[in-house]
Amino acid sequence: MERGLALEGFDPDSNTLMAQAFRIRVAESVKEIPFHQHRKGQLILALHGGITCEVEQAMWMVPTQYAVWIPGAMPHSNRATANASICFLFIEPGAIAMPEQCCTLKISPLVRELILRLAQQSHEDASPARERLVQVLFDELPHQPVEQLRLPMSRHPKIQQIAEHLARHPEERRTLAQWASVLAMSERNLARLVVKETGLNFRRWRQQLQVIIALQLLIDGSTVQKVGQALGYESTNAFITMFRNALGTTPGRYLASLAA
């Protein structure tokens, strides 16, 4: 069933179906749903374009082929890129053994097709065929590998200002001292604030954001050279070095492991 990003007023908690899916097509402009929560757990699968979720003082940036799992009753916000295509899968609490914490999952082609097939069916359909489809989905979903596409975040307005700016302009190489000047703080106080709010120093925190953006671009088909340029690196080798230091492998080998 296809709906808008906000499900056009539909309440997923209005029934006790074990699983229900929606395919979402985002309009040309970027869409955002402010903080809300469901009794049911929610899997957000990116089919085309990207979606960013803010959950538990963390930002989850979900590229295609990936999904973010949000346990039930956990406040979250969603922001989709223009012209994105997304699937929402709502799961009744206790219906399946899923992680108790928010996480990113790499979705197999089989699970992707099962979710898409479920989204095509009416929620009033109680046929044995639909029940078998849901059961196969529940057999496969807990085995999807967890990936580290999490950026520690904070509700602090200055941390959010930095994160939102860097997400929109990943090529910018503004230093901690320059950010301190923009935010009318001392460099020392800003450094302490970043560590306090995110658990990482500024360099590692920005690098994690760059890695997430790099993965989004690589998975969407950009070349290593173009990704390095998009992130503001002076050379492709410098970008590859950063990527290898963060993930322990090169971009090419990482993509090959996804294909495998």
Side-chain angles (χ1 to χ4, degrees):
M1 184 176 295
E2 187 169 306
R3 292 176 181 264
L5 189 60
L7 298 180
E8 299 172 356
F10 178 79
D11 180 8
D13 291 338
S14 61
N15 59 62
T16 56
L17 288 172
M18 292 297 100
Q20 54 190 149
F22 301 87
R23 183 163 182 171
I24 313 298
R25 293 188 184 275
V26 181
E28 293 182 1
S29 59
V30 176
K31 297 293 184 181
E32 183 169 5
I33 301 177
F35 274 91
H36 62 289
Q37 64 188 66
H38 316 285
R39 176 177 56 82
K40 295 186 177 185
Q42 183 179 12
L43 187 79
I44 303 176
L45 170 63
L47 302 172
H48 173 74
I51 186 164
T52 300
C53 303
E54 190 172 338
V55 188
E56 286 190 317
Q57 293 189 305
M59 183 184 292
W60 306 82
M61 303 175 72
V62 188
T64 54
Q65 303 182 34
Y66 287 80
V68 61
W69 165 249
I70 305 170
M74 185 171 288
H76 60 282
S77 66
N78 305 328
R79 186 173 187 270
T81 58
N83 300 312
S85 180
I86 300 160
C87 266
F88 288 168
L89 173 67
F90 294 98
I91 299 177
E92 187 70 13
I96 181 176
M98 291 293 287
E100 296 181 358
Q101 302 298 324
C102 188
C103 61
T104 306
L105 303 175
K106 184 180 186 302
I107 301 299
S108 70
L110 173 58
V111 170
R112 176 182 180 275
E113 293 305 317
L114 289 170
I115 294 173
L116 288 173
R117 179 68 180 127
L118 187 61
Q120 293 173 352
Q121 299 190 350
S122 169
H123 300 309
E124 286 73 35
D125 181 5
S127 66
R130 187 182 189 278
E131 291 181 5
R132 289 194 298 269
L133 175 65
V134 170
Q135 187 56 58
V136 174
L137 176 58
F138 282 2
D139 287 343
E140 295 292 326
L141 192 55
H143 303 296
Q144 306 307 290
V146 176
E147 299 286 346
Q148 297 303 317
L149 293 176
R150 172 184 178 272
L151 178 72
M153 268 298 294
S154 165
R155 300 284 178 87
H156 195 288
K158 292 186 177 180
I159 300 297
Q160 290 192 333
Q161 181 178 342
I162 296 173
E164 291 171 1
H165 183 86
L166 291 178
R168 289 195 303 267
H169 305 284
E171 78 287 352
E172 188 169 292
R173 312 298 291 178
R174 191 178 292 177
T175 65
L176 180 65
Q178 289 170 327
W179 269 113
S181 177
V182 169
L183 299 172
M185 299 176 66
S186 71
E187 182 178 355
R188 185 175 183 180
N189 284 342
L190 179 56
R192 289 176 173 174
L193 179 66
V194 172
V195 172
K196 176 185 175 182
E197 296 292 327
T198 71
L200 302 174
N201 63 39
F202 178 75
R203 184 187 65 80
R204 288 188 59 200
W205 184 64
R206 181 173 62 183
Q207 183 184 75
Q208 178 68 3
L209 175 59
Q210 288 186 323
V211 168
I212 293 172
I213 294 173
L215 289 174
Q216 286 183 310
L217 296 174
L218 289 167
I219 292 168
D220 285 340
S222 293
T223 65
V224 174
Q225 182 180 12
K226 287 184 178 179
V227 174
Q229 292 172 348
L231 295 180
Y233 285 86
E234 295 181 358
S235 70
T236 302
N237 285 339
F239 164 67
I240 292 174
T241 298
M242 181 281 292
F243 193 97
R244 184 171 54 235
N245 289 341
L247 295 182
T249 187
T250 64
R253 290 176 179 171
Y254 186 89
L255 288 177
S257 70
L258 293 184

